[in-house]
Amino acid sequence: MSYKHNDLLAMRQSYWGDEHSERVKNEKQYFQQILNECHIFTEANLEDAKYFFFSLPSIIIVKGYALGFTHSLVKNMILDFVTAHKVELSQRQIMKIKFRI
């Protein structure tokens, strides 16, 4: 694993493990909402949201960390990602995490 991969994986794990921040709780619900609205899953649960979060490209993770995942710029990036990977997401395929910073 590369240095960059370790840092981003640590960011993902730290974010997902945060159970005290209201912002993080709301964003996790937002991920579920996106999955439902885009018809990826019929009733997305927290595990579905976690799978989705860990599938997001690094650029979305970094910008989401900085601006918040519900910021309009990040929302648009997430929706573009969902649109491009709808089939893979609905089948819960393991996607290669892209590093583009």
Side-chain angles (χ1 to χ4, degrees), residues 66-100:
L67 302 172
F69 287 95
T70 57
H71 184 277
S72 60
L73 173 69
V74 181
K75 278 183 175 183
N76 289 336
M77 293 173 73
I78 290 171
L79 291 175
D80 288 345
F81 174 78
V82 169
T83 301
H85 298 93
K86 189 170 184 172
V87 173
E88 294 95 330
L89 290 168
S90 66
Q91 295 174 355
R92 284 181 149 262
Q93 291 180 1
I94 297 173
M95 290 185 270
K96 184 177 179 183
I97 298 173
K98 298 175 185 170
F99 298 101
R100 203 183 66 177

